[in-house]
Each structure stands twice: as C-alpha cells, then as structure tokens.
Amino acid sequence: MRLILEKRSEHSEFMTLMSPLLAIFLTVVTGAIIFALQGLNPLEALYVYFIEPVTSMWSIEEVLVKAAPLILIGAGLSICYMANVWNIGAEGQLTMGAAFGSIVPIFFTSWQSPLTLVAMLVCGAIGGAAFAAIPAFLKNRFNANEILTSLMLVYIAQLILDWLVRGPWRDPKGYNFPQSIPFEGWQLLPTLGDGRVHIGIILAIVAVIILSILMSRTLKGFEIMVIGNSPRAGRFSGFSRKKTVWFCLLLSGGLAGLAGIGEVAGPSGQLQPSISPGYGFTAIIVAFLGRLNPIGVFFAGIMLAITYIGGEGAQVVLGVSDKTAQVFQGILLFFILACDTLILYRIKLLGPVTPQQAAAE
Amino acid sequence: MDGTQAIILTIITASTPLLLAAIGELVVERSGVLNLGVEGMMVMGAVCGFATAYTTGSPTLGIFAGIMAGIGMAFIFAFMTQTLVSNQVATGLALTLLGLGLSGLIGESFVGLPGVKLVPVSIPLLSDIPFIGRILFGQDILVYASIALVIATTYVLFKTRVGLIIRAVGDNHHSAHSLGYNVIMVRYACILFGGACAGLSGAYLSLAYTPQWIENMTAGRGWIALALVVFATWLPKRLAIGAYLFGTVWIMGLYVQAQGLGIPSQFLSSLPYLVTIIALVIISGNKTLTRVNTPACIGQSFVPDR
Amino acid sequence: MKKWLGFAAAVAMSFAITSASAADKLKVGFIYVGPIGDHGWSYQHEQGRLAIDAALGDQVETSYIEKVDEGPDAERAIERLARQGANLIFTTSFGFMEPTLKVAKRFPDVKFEHATGYKRADNVSTYSSRFYEGRYIIGQIAARMSKSGVAGYIGSFPIPEVVRGINSFMLGAQSVNPDFKLKIVWVNSWFDPGKEADAAKVLIGQGADIITQHTDSTAPLQIAGENGVYGFGQASDMIAFAPNSQLTAIVDDWSSYYVNRTKAALDGTWESTDTWGGINDKMVGMAPFTNMPDDVKAEAGKTTAKIISGRFHPFQGPIFKQDGTEAAKEGEIISDGELLGMNWYVKGIDDQLPQ
C-alpha cells in the first residue's frame, strides 16, 4: 500500500471549505485521546479549549486582544512570502517599532494632544520599517540572504531594547528596575468598551482590507504575485525584483512595528524588556495557516488566539501544564497543514506495487 | 589549567552543538528542503538522550536515544512535507512548537536530577602533550564526531554519486526526476539524516555540555544552527569555520566582560549576531560563489507528474 | 441534534460536579514567569504551592498558570484566575507588578500578593526575600576557601536585586580578605544553561576558583564541580549536581510564607502588607555547609546565627561605594529603600556597573 497524490486540475472549492473542518475534526479526535490518556474528561477538555474562549464576553475580548498583533504582522508577512521574500524577523521589527514609538511618550512626556497617539503609531511603523530596511538593503546590495539577516536582527533588536530600558530610558522613579515611565492616558490606545480590547484590532482589520484590495485589485499586487511565482517571468514583464524586495520588507516591517507600539501603548502601558510573547514568530504560522491571503490571515489569527486562550484556561480548569497546550497546538497545526493538501491534490491509496507497474513508471 | 587553553576548550564545547545540528540541516537544504524545526528536533534529542542515559546509566545509549528522537521528529516533518506536500516553513515551525511542548511533558519527571556525563576520551600519551594535548586529544567523542561529520559530508556531497544525486535533487527536482531519481525518497533520507544530527546535538547538550535536563534548554541554538547553514553558503567546510567563529565571538564576549571594562553586556551579547551578518555580507558579495552553491529548489515541494 | 444535546449535557454536568465540590473551598492561584520545570525560580514557587496543598489541602484548592510572559499576556492570565473564582492570587515575578495592580483594581474582593515589587494597594501585598543575607555568608565562605582570592560571579541582569547580592557577597568576602577580587559576567538571561556554563568556564580560565551565580540553572555549579573548584547552589540545594564542590546553597523557601498568608486569608486576618523576610523568617534557607574545614563551617554558622538574631546586618557600616564615597557610617545600616533600588557597587569591585 502506498499513498499517491494526484494534482487536481483546479482548486477544489469543496475541499477549500472542508479542509479546515476536517482538520479540526481530526484534532478533536486526537485531542480527546491525548486528554483521556492523561486521565482527563475529554469532553470537558475540548470544551475548555475550543468553546469556552468564545462563551463569555471577557474571553472573546481577550481573543481579539491576542489576535490583533498576530493578524497585523501575519497580513504583512503573507504579502512578503507571496513575493518569495522571506522575512522571518518580524519579532525584531516589532521590538524596534515598540522602541521607536515609545520615543514620543518618553521624551515628550507632557505633549498632550490627540496627535500624540498618531505620532506614536507613525513612529512605531517607521521603526519597524527602518529595521526591516536593513535586510532589504543587504539583500539588494550584497545579495545577503534575508532569512539569516532578519533572524539575526531579532536578537540584536531585543538586546537594544534591553539596553534601553535598563539604561538610558529607565524610569527614574522605578527603583532602577528595567522599565520605562508608565504611559499616561492620552498616550495609550483607546479601548473599545470597558475591557482590554483596544483599537489595535481595528487597525488589523483595516490592514487586512487594504492588503486584500492591494493583492486582488491593483497592479502592485499582480506584480508581487508574478515575481513570487517566477522571477524570470517578472523580469520579462518589466517588474523590478529589487523594488519588490524593498516594498515587501518595508510593508511587513512597518506593520510589525505598528503591532509593537500597539502592544506597548495597549496592554502593556509601558516599555519593558519583554514586550511580546513571540508574536513575530507565531505570525509566520498565522500567515501560512491563512494561506498567504490577508482575509485568511484574519481567521487564522483568531483561531490561533482561541487555542492560546483555551490552553491557558485549561491550565487553570483542568490543571494540565502549559506543555500539553503546546503539544495540542502543534498537532492542530499539523492537521491543518496536512488537510490543506486536499485542496490541491487528490489522495489515492495504491495496493502493493507489482513489478510490472514499477517497470511502467 | 592555563587560561588560553581553557578558553579554547570552552570555544570548542560551545561550537560543537551548533556544528552538529547545522551539518545535518546543510544536507537537508542541499536536497532542496528547508526544515525550520531544528530547535524542536534538538530539544527532543536532549530530553530523550537525558532520560535514557539517566534510566540506563549509559551515556552511549543516551546518545543513541537522542539520535532516534531526532529521526522520529524528522519523520513527521518528512511525511508532512514530502508525502503530503505541506508548506515546509509552516511545518518546520509547527515541529518546533511540538518539540518544545512534547519534550517538556517527557522531561517532567527528570527535572532536577543530576545527569550522567559523557566522559571525555583521553588518548594516552598524546593528551599529555602540553597545551595542545588536551585540546586535540582530550575531547569527548561527539566533538570528534562533529569534525568527522564535516569531513564525511564534504566527501559524500562532492566526491560521490550519492552526493551528486542529492545536489541534483536540490538544484532541479524536475530534471532529477526525469533522470530517474526518486526525488521524494532522496529528500526523505536527507531529512532523516538532518533529524539524526539535530538529535545528536541535543543529546550533546544534555549529556556533555550541561549534563541535566531543563525545559527549553536548547535556548535558541537550533535557530543559530539554521543561520549558520546560510552563512556557510551550504559548504560544510565553511560551516565548520562559521560555527567556530560564532563560538569564538560568543565566548570572547564573556571573556571581555570578566575583565571588567564596563562595555555594555548587551553589546557584547549581540556581537556574535552582528559578526555573522557582516561575514555573510562579505561572502554574499562574491556572487558567483553563492549562486553556485545555493540549492535552487530550496523550500519548494515536489510532486511527480504522472 | 440529539447527539449535540448529549454533548452539551455531559459538559454541563462535568462542570456542575467540579464546581459543587469546590464551592466552599478557598481558591488560591499562582502565576509563574517560567516553566515549573526550570529547577530554579518558578520551580521553588511551585514547591510553595505544593506546600499549601499539603498543609491546607482540605480547605483550599490551588491552581497555576506557568510560562506567563511578563509582557501583554500577564494581565489576562491574572484576570483569568480572578474570574475563575480565585480568592488569593500570587504573582511571582517583578514584571507582573503593573498588571497585578490593574487587575486588583477591577477585583477589589480578591486578595493579591506580588513578589519582589514595590507598589501596593488595599488588596495587594508585596513580598520578597532578603537573599542578600545568604550572599554575605557565602561571600565569607568563598574568601576562606579560595586560594587565588578571586571569585567568579555570573549575573543575570543588572537589576537592584542582583547588584545587592553582589555587594553583599563582596562585603562578606572582604570581612575575611580585604583584597578579595570579583570577576563578573552578565549573561543577559535568567535561564540559558549553556551560556551559564560557558561563563563559568571562562571565569575559571581567568583564575577564579570559586563560582557563584545569580541565574537559575545548576550549570555553573556543575562546571565548578567538573573543574575541581568550589561553587554554591542557587534557589535550591543543588548538592546532587556537584557533591564535592557545593559549599552551601541559598535556598528560596516560599512555603512558610505561602501557607501563612493562605491561613490568614482563610481566617479573615489577611491585610495588605509588605514582607521582606530573611533567614530568620525562614524565607531564605541555607543548605548544609559541606566540603569545608570545621573552622570555616563554624564561622559560617556563627554569622548565620548573628544575622538571625538581628545582631548583625550585612549592610552595616562602614560601607564605601566604588568611587570612595561613604554609603554608610560606622554602625549605620543602609535603609531598605536604598537597598531596594541599589545601583552602585561597593568599594573593591573592579567591574563597572552597566548604567
């Protein structure tokens, strides 16, 4: 017996819809087995993971808070990857965006105006884009691989931030602990309602809409698609690979930077050494789960946020460790990726290969 | 112990896990596959190696278990990306996530236990030579294994038919396929080899480097190994240089700190990454060199037309 | 449809069972910054949680969330515990300070305990340990046991807590050997066994024959053991990792504090306080003194007893800062406020404190 894939002549519409459902079904079954093995009630465990996060207003809000940076970064990365530009350093761009954006509240403490926040967001985006410009420049000028340079720059960005908050930007009233001054009300992102949901999620939705229009309706989107699919074809059409590299890195860096300042001016409220639980890396998964489509990224971001929130709830309600949540998440991703195959391919099981067949191949 | 000698010994131990994991990934990438799950395979190698060595008392069995754990993780990746042609970047990241979680679960009961240390071999007479004796002839077996792997990989990749096939598959899978090579099988084999190396590297961490199990003990070394492969422009020799260069800058950063010169430690900690970027820029400037060695099909899935 | 109803009923039932049995128990929640498997900081807090279970298991129910990032996730994790009915919540890392206060404001009936911070509220207490007391003792032992007169100190981050420890260690060492030298390496991490091991090797290579660390893993002590130099355990007794090298260990012991505070919450006497406990309060423990001659052992025991009785304070003058200015006059003790924000080295340390 062996598994054979047969390319479908076109995307299967049916499977496009079915694949995520099938993946979730498989995960639920596997998850139930894992939980049962750990001596837990599988139904309760699954409820905590998938249903509970969307049952109360509070946890729905928390899902949105968690999803906002993932979507913002993931949307930018999806464009990047579409163009075959491999920015995997979004975490660093996020960090620098957070640092740049914080210049406004740290150095212009008393500037109180509706523009303060706008300035912070703009600075954040500029910081992220500027940091992403380094791999773009090195790629275009020296042909240095952007996977490597962008990844190395993550470490450097985190060390720069670390140095800033432990040294020059330290809160003078903070007993020398590593943190900046706490931001004031007008320097914080306005919340929607009384909870923690801030306008970051709106920025994310706006980004998703703009980017999906960009990709589907504009020449630039077409250019990115052509260059991504075949650089040669792109060259023949007169599209510049270098310009695309600049465009994609600056765009995704800017969005990551925006997410960074969004976290600092949103949930955190001040600059500190740790500003992101790896959003920049998780967003890579989000980009792929969303099939490199900004709208897909939106749903992927929400879904991943739900499993995070559910996993956290499971620790409290079920007493399972964070590790189980992580394993569960890994398995879910595997199933989703595997089921996506069904969209493009038909799977056939063949019997044992007879020598004649083998010869015919 | 003499100070310089101690520093050199420290550099060697710091570089070896990077080199071990990276040499495997280099072969994987040469076959046209990008596996970003090195960290996950490594950490699984670390926990399985430790658990086995602790339970059986034999570091040799521990090493073996580490390799098998790496291969097991790599098999998941191979099945996903080769048989089911899932996206390699996303699958690799998911593999890391799975590895970090699973290793934590497996290792839960092994936290806080002193491990079985892999004793360095000490070649009689030779290891007594002043200064270089300890450095050249008194290392543990995995240090020699890493060097042997670099030499063997260079030989196999560039001097044998097998190597030719691997490179052909990585450079143009369609023509390799039409020449009659089984692209999928070659890639399977390379991915499993990569897993074995990553697992071995993990076992080195939990058996020789710091004989203990702590959650997330790889602390990002898998990512550095990945970066080193690109830095080495897919050449094993350069990979060894890169790994030792990285190790040297890393250790010298600590060395300079202990001198108490008041240089911000964050700056010293970021030096290895800066140096890697600069070195890469210099190497990449030589365009012919990089282009010749870059596997053209890296990251692309292959499905035979039928 | 029937199936789904069955599913919902089963779920509802399973919840009914858990909540009924838990209704009258006091719920205690913990937030950990690291994995409980770190065998360091978070591990010791987890031991404290287990001690509550052991002592008051019939009256309380405990739960925890581990690996909570100090960034934007913290507030949610804390709020989750509060929403799920926790009556008393321990947030066990400095970075949880602001999020704890924010959540505490929204849940005035829930009691909060924040470790190592300095901001309090009516329902937020703070607590920390005077680890520096232990550091003074090991500094003294180090100077007695060192032949080269040089110790290597592996630091995580230059925050006041760590700087205080370095100063206290040095003062202890200087009380024995005024010319004692300290080499300091910052690894910029609480938790990277490999890097901690590298730092230990580099320090030994530069002549240190005593290794001590303010990071979480056992690696530096292990390296000390392998190289035949002495070292100290950190956070827990690590003698198993270096049976011939560990002189003693500074043990974080949160059990008695956690049990006492839970009892206070149970009988209604809990109120917001600031606790900064040392050896005397059983919040800092010293592992048995081993691998040293009897006279050193006796001296260490005497210093410990003096600290417990309050007759001696590690930061008791005269103390001079690195630049020669006087930090405390003869007989004067540096205030807790100054200690809390300490960002200067004592005289005799060659390193420059990163500013």
Side-chain angles (χ1 to χ4, degrees):
Chain A
M1 283 268 280
R2 41 183 208 143
L3 251 159
I4 288 294
L5 295 182
E6 202 174 81
K7 202 160 184 137
R8 296 179 194 270
S9 46
E10 55 191 67
H11 284 204
S12 161
E13 293 288 335
F14 176 68
M15 276 301 169
T16 311
L17 286 174
M18 280 307 288
S19 132
L21 297 178
L22 183 65
I24 289 173
F25 172 76
L26 287 172
T27 317
V28 164
V29 173
T30 324
I33 295 170
I34 296 177
F35 295 129
L37 283 178
Q38 293 201 329
L40 298 166
N41 177 346
L43 284 182
E44 187 187 346
L46 290 170
Y47 175 85
V48 170
Y49 265 96
F50 289 113
I51 319 260
E52 204 195 10
V54 289
T55 50
S56 80
M57 206 48 215
W58 174 72
S59 46
I60 291 176
E61 287 185 7
E62 289 298 339
V63 166
L64 295 180
V65 172
K66 186 99 190 168
L70 290 176
I71 296 169
L72 211 47
I73 306 170
L77 291 182
S78 68
I79 310 293
C80 249
Y81 299 160
M82 196 63 111
N84 258 324
V85 176
W86 297 101
N87 175 10
I88 59 170
E91 184 78 5
Q93 292 139 24
L94 174 149
T95 307
M96 290 315 279
F100 253 71
S102 302
I103 290 178
V104 180
I106 289 174
F107 288 98
F108 304 93
T109 26
S110 52
W111 179 40
Q112 186 172 355
S113 138
L115 286 180
T116 315
L117 204 57
V118 178
M120 285 167 68
L121 292 176
V122 170
C123 282
I126 290 175
F131 209 59
I134 301 173
F137 171 75
L138 295 179
K139 169 93 182 169
N140 282 339
R141 178 69 182 75
F142 299 104
N143 196 32
N145 187 301
E146 74 276 16
I147 296 182
L148 173 83
T149 50
S150 63
L151 179 63
M152 294 276 124
L153 285 167
V154 173
Y155 297 96
I156 294 174
Q158 283 169 344
L159 287 161
I160 293 176
L161 173 69
D162 197 79
W163 176 74
L164 286 173
V165 290
R166 287 176 202 284
W169 290 10
R170 194 167 51 186
D171 178 6
K173 293 194 201 75
Y175 291 95
N176 296 314
F177 280 97
Q179 52 187 6
S180 74
I181 51 167
F183 298 175
E184 301 291 337
W186 68 89
Q187 295 157 340
L188 297 172
L189 292 180
T191 52
L192 312 173
D194 323 323
R196 293 214 304 148
V197 187
H198 52 82
I199 55 163
I201 186 71
I202 301 200
L203 292 178
I205 293 170
V206 169
V208 162
I209 294 170
I210 293 178
L211 290 186
S212 73
I213 293 172
L214 173 94
M215 289 311 284
S216 57
R217 301 281 162 83
T218 64
L219 183 66
K220 192 79 199 163
F222 178 68
E223 186 182 323
I224 288 168
M225 220 101 80
V226 170
I227 287 190
N229 278 334
S230 159
R232 272 188 59 184
R235 221 174 303 135
F236 287 133
S237 342
F239 297 144
S240 157
R241 165 92 184 140
K242 285 192 175 182
K243 273 189 191 147
T244 308
V245 168
W246 274 112
F247 178 80
C248 291
L249 275 164
L250 291 182
L251 175 77
S252 58
L255 287 172
L258 202 56
I261 187 65
E263 287 308 288
V264 173
S268 288
Q270 70 188 144
L271 204 57
Q272 47 187 27
S274 159
I275 48 165
S276 142
Y279 283 136
F281 292 113
T282 313
I284 301 175
I285 299 178
V286 169
F288 281 106
L289 284 186
R291 305 205 185 93
L292 304 189
N293 174 328
I295 293 173
V297 164
F298 176 79
F299 289 106
I302 298 278
M303 198 205 65
L304 222 65
I306 288 179
T307 62
Y308 268 112
I309 306 287
E312 200 176 81
Q315 289 187 57
V316 181
V317 179
L318 310 171
V320 299
S321 67
D322 176 60
K323 276 82 80 173
T324 314
Q326 226 174 351
V327 170
F328 191 61
Q329 215 175 24
I331 291 172
L332 173 68
L333 291 177
F334 279 133
F335 279 128
I336 291 178
L337 293 167
C339 290
D340 269 6
T341 306
L342 298 173
I343 299 169
L344 292 175
Y345 302 96
R346 224 173 250 125
I347 289 189
K348 281 187 173 174
L349 278 176
L350 291 187
V353 187
T354 59
Q356 289 89 352
Q357 273 175 325
E361 268 182 32
Chain B
M1 198 178 357
D2 176 52
T4 320
Q5 188 194 22
I7 301 280
I8 295 173
L9 284 171
T10 311
I11 290 170
I12 293 173
T13 28
S15 312
T16 299
L18 301 176
L19 184 53
L20 279 171
I23 194 78
E25 179 67 14
L26 184 140
V27 173
V28 176
E29 292 188 13
R30 273 287 182 176
S31 78
V33 178
L34 180 65
N35 184 354
L36 292 183
V38 180
E39 181 90 357
M41 301 191 291
M42 220 168 140
V43 77
M44 281 296 284
V47 72
C48 293
F50 182 89
T52 308
Y54 184 83
T55 322
T56 63
S58 155
T60 319
L61 282 179
I63 291 175
F64 184 70
I67 294 176
M68 291 314 290
I71 292 181
M73 291 293 281
F75 183 80
I76 301 178
F77 179 85
F79 180 76
M80 292 287 300
T81 57
Q82 302 309 306
T83 306
L84 297 179
V85 291
S86 69
N87 178 283
Q88 294 176 5
V89 175
T91 309
L93 289 167
L95 194 72
T96 293
L97 203 63
L98 181 74
L100 290 173
L102 201 56
S103 63
L105 277 184
I106 296 173
E108 240 163 10
S109 52
F110 291 95
V111 170
L113 299 175
V116 191
K117 186 172 164 74
L118 183 70
V119 194
V121 293
S122 178
I123 301 165
L125 296 178
L126 288 176
S127 62
D128 295 332
I129 303 172
F131 197 74
I132 58 160
R134 224 2 249 292
I135 294 170
L136 291 180
F137 305 108
Q139 298 287 351
D140 50 60
I141 184 107
L142 294 184
V143 172
Y144 299 119
S146 67
I147 304 290
L149 270 172
V150 170
I151 297 168
T153 310
T154 312
Y155 178 77
V156 171
L157 274 181
F158 299 105
K159 295 278 174 330
T160 67
R161 210 178 119 73
V162 175
L164 192 70
I165 296 171
I166 292 176
R167 286 185 289 135
V169 166
D171 281 336
N172 189 337
H173 45 216
H174 292 297
S175 49
H177 178 69
S178 50
L179 287 171
Y181 298 124
N182 190 334
V183 173
I184 304 288
M185 275 308 136
V186 170
R187 287 186 173 168
Y188 251 95
C190 289
I191 293 169
L192 295 187
F193 175 76
C197 289
L200 183 64
S201 161
Y204 181 79
L205 286 177
S206 67
L207 293 173
Y209 205 137
T210 51
Q212 56 179 318
W213 163 250
I214 308 179
E215 254 187 89
N216 299 1
M217 70 182 292
T218 41
R221 285 183 178 72
W223 296 103
I224 295 169
L226 269 165
L228 284 174
V229 177
V230 188
F231 165 80
T233 56
W234 295 275
L235 287 176
K237 257 185 308 188
R238 229 180 260 168
L239 185 69
I241 297 171
Y244 280 98
L245 177 72
F246 192 92
T248 307
V249 180
W250 174 269
I251 297 299
M252 287 320 284
L254 299 173
Y255 181 85
V256 170
Q257 267 200 59
Q259 303 285 348
L261 300 176
I263 301 169
S265 60
Q266 292 96 344
F267 174 72
L268 293 169
S269 291
S270 67
L271 263 186
Y273 309 107
L274 274 176
V275 169
T276 313
I277 292 177
I278 293 166
L280 178 83
V281 165
I282 294 168
I283 291 174
S284 307
N286 188 338
K287 284 197 177 149
T288 47
L289 223 153
T290 25
R291 203 167 299 151
V292 169
N293 288 304
T294 309
C297 285
I298 191 152
Q300 296 173 16
S301 298
F302 175 74
V303 178
D305 295 324
R306 17 183 57 252
Chain C
M1 194 61 206
K2 224 174 173 182
K3 247 186 202 163
W4 281 105
L5 280 179
F7 173 78
V11 169
M13 243 167 70
S14 63
F15 271 92
I17 295 164
T18 39
S19 52
S21 60
D24 41 358
K25 284 186 168 181
L26 183 86
K27 283 193 175 177
V28 185
F30 285 82
I31 301 280
Y32 302 138
V33 67
I36 53 174
D38 67 359
H39 202 244
W41 182 255
S42 295
Y43 178 83
Q44 290 304 121
H45 285 284
E46 170 70 0
Q47 299 307 307
R49 180 182 76 90
L50 296 174
I52 297 180
D53 277 346
L56 307 162
D58 50 341
Q59 301 166 64
V60 298
E61 196 183 81
T62 62
S63 56
Y64 68 89
I65 305 179
E66 64 175 331
K67 279 201 246 181
V68 177
D69 197 85
E70 288 185 327
D73 277 355
E75 189 178 338
R76 182 190 62 242
I78 300 166
E79 181 158 353
R80 171 180 297 279
L81 286 177
R83 281 183 176 266
Q84 270 161 343
N87 311 90
L88 175 63
I89 297 172
F90 292 92
T91 55
T92 63
S93 184
F94 172 76
F96 300 149
M97 183 165 75
E98 297 296 339
T100 305
L101 287 160
K102 278 189 208 161
V103 179
K105 205 178 265 176
R106 286 200 287 275
F107 292 84
D109 297 334
V110 179
K111 302 168 180 70
F112 294 84
E113 297 259 357
H114 176 237
T116 70
Y118 54 86
K119 288 189 184 169
R120 278 168 292 282
D122 283 346
N123 59 335
V124 183
S125 283
T126 52
Y127 63 101
S128 184
S129 290
R130 297 182 186 268
F131 297 117
Y132 65 84
E133 294 181 351
R135 301 247 163 224
Y136 187 90
I137 300 169
I138 67 171
Q140 224 174 23
I141 299 172
R144 286 273 179 236
M145 298 302 291
S146 171
K147 288 191 188 70
S148 62
V150 182
Y153 205 113
I154 300 164
S156 47
F157 296 102
I159 55 172
E161 160 84 38
V162 179
V163 173
R164 198 158 60 228
I166 293 175
N167 283 337
S168 186
F169 179 91
M170 193 59 175
L171 290 171
Q174 285 170 341
S175 73
V176 172
N177 172 4
D179 296 325
F180 198 77
K181 290 269 173 287
L182 206 52
K183 286 183 183 288
I184 302 168
V185 171
W186 300 100
V187 290
N188 285 316
S189 165
W190 281 108
F191 188 77
D192 182 344
K195 197 170 181 188
E196 291 166 46
D198 294 338
K201 289 180 200 165
V202 166
L203 287 164
I204 294 169
Q206 291 193 57
D209 61 355
I210 302 276
I211 293 294
T212 184
Q213 72 277 4
H214 203 145
T215 50
D216 272 353
S217 89
T218 46
L221 181 63
Q222 253 180 339
I223 296 300
E226 279 169 27
N227 288 282
V229 304
Y230 292 115
F232 298 95
Q234 158 76 12
S236 63
D237 189 348
M238 296 174 168
I239 187 81
F241 287 87
N244 302 318
S245 276
Q246 180 182 299
L247 294 165
T248 179
I250 301 172
V251 181
D252 309 1
D253 187 357
W254 306 102
S255 308
S256 61
Y257 181 78
Y258 285 168
V259 172
N260 287 341
R261 297 302 280 175
T262 309
K263 274 186 190 153
L266 275 171
D267 58 27
T269 56
W270 190 97
E271 49 184 36
S272 170
T273 55
D274 174 31
T275 308
W276 202 8
I279 304 180
N280 186 33
D281 313 274
K282 300 203 164 53
M283 286 174 76
V284 181
M286 300 302 290
F289 301 118
T290 48
N291 295 317
M292 61 182 91
D294 285 342
D295 57 325
V296 181
K297 215 180 272 185
E299 186 189 42
K302 241 167 78 187
T303 311
T304 315
K306 274 201 313 202
I307 291 175
I308 290 177
S309 70
R311 272 185 294 138
F312 176 74
H313 191 289
F315 286 102
Q316 180 175 311
I319 292 171
F320 293 92
K321 293 188 185 180
Q322 206 174 23
D323 57 12
T325 54
E326 193 171 54
K329 285 197 274 294
E330 179 85 44
E332 191 187 358
I333 291 171
I334 295 179
S335 70
D336 280 0
E338 174 77 20
L339 287 179
L340 188 65
M342 189 171 251
N343 70 335
W344 44 266
Y345 281 141
V346 294
K347 206 177 156 195
I349 295 177
D350 296 332
D351 193 55
Q352 287 168 40
L353 188 62
Q355 287 296 338

